[in-house]
Amino acid sequence: MTVITHNRRRSRLSTLIDQPGGVSVGVALTQAKANLAGLEARSRAAIDEQVAALSALAQPTSLEENGRNLDLAYDYSSAVIDAAGPFDLKDLCAAAANLCDLIDAAPEGRMFDWRIVVVHAQALRLLLSLPAEAAEARTQVLASLKDVLKAKVPDNPQSDEG
């Protein structure tokens, strides 16, 4: 018979809220939002760094270099998702995730179509430069990237999402 033991941990926030005279949920949320807002500039700088690194990757000339560069491109794209996620930058996350999906689907032992990486890097730069109110342009960029995913990985379940 297997026994599962669950060690319940309490977060610092829940401890503060539960204590008599502790912080109210509303105050805690306000403080959390303020703390998060203070990190947004650092997050955007990290996103810029990762997109610049992605853009700087050279087209591989050998299968070995192809594998290394794809790993780097995947890492840079994942870092964009990590940095953009908490700040409701869904378009950046979607573009970076699209590239990750394409890299995941890349056949082993064959050269990757490097134009895909170049196009995604350019799309990320474009999304970063567009003003917040340019929703239609953002939608068009993401739709074009989804078209690339559909063309390269037709049986991908995400290629049917809108």
Side-chain angles (χ1 to χ4, degrees):
M1 183 164 129
T2 304
V3 176
I4 298 173
T5 305
H6 177 72
N7 291 331
R8 187 176 175 109
R9 291 186 177 175
R10 293 179 54 96
S11 71
R12 193 174 137 240
L13 177 60
S14 68
T15 303
L16 287 172
I17 291 172
D18 289 344
Q19 288 178 348
V23 177
S24 73
V25 174
V27 170
L29 283 174
T30 301
Q31 288 174 345
K33 286 179 185 175
N35 291 341
L36 194 57
L39 298 174
E40 189 168 1
R42 283 182 34 201
S43 174
R44 286 196 176 268
I47 293 167
D48 286 339
E49 261 180 49
Q50 299 306 312
V51 172
L54 182 64
S55 298
L57 281 175
Q59 180 171 347
T61 56
S62 68
L63 279 176
E64 184 180 322
E65 188 180 18
N66 185 62
R68 272 195 316 267
N69 284 8
L70 281 179
D71 287 345
L72 288 170
Y74 192 95
D75 290 346
Y76 297 146
S77 295
S78 294
V80 168
I81 295 167
D82 291 343
F87 300 100
D88 201 32
L89 300 170
K90 293 176 184 166
D91 51 352
L92 292 172
C93 291
N98 202 70
L99 179 56
C100 289
D101 289 343
L102 285 159
I103 293 171
D104 280 339
E108 298 268 335
R110 288 183 36 210
M111 295 296 283
F112 189 76
D113 183 354
W114 204 252
R115 296 173 299 178
I116 292 170
V117 175
V118 172
V119 164
H120 278 76
Q122 291 171 343
L124 286 165
R125 281 192 186 278
L126 177 60
L127 291 169
L128 282 168
S129 70
L130 287 172
E133 56 274 357
E136 187 176 325
R138 291 175 184 282
T139 300
Q140 288 176 343
V141 169
L142 292 176
S144 296
L145 294 178
K146 283 290 182 191
D147 288 344
V148 173
L149 182 62
K150 286 178 191 175
K152 295 292 184 178
V153 191
D155 59 342
N156 186 308
Q158 289 188 3
S159 66
D160 293 331
E161 292 177 3

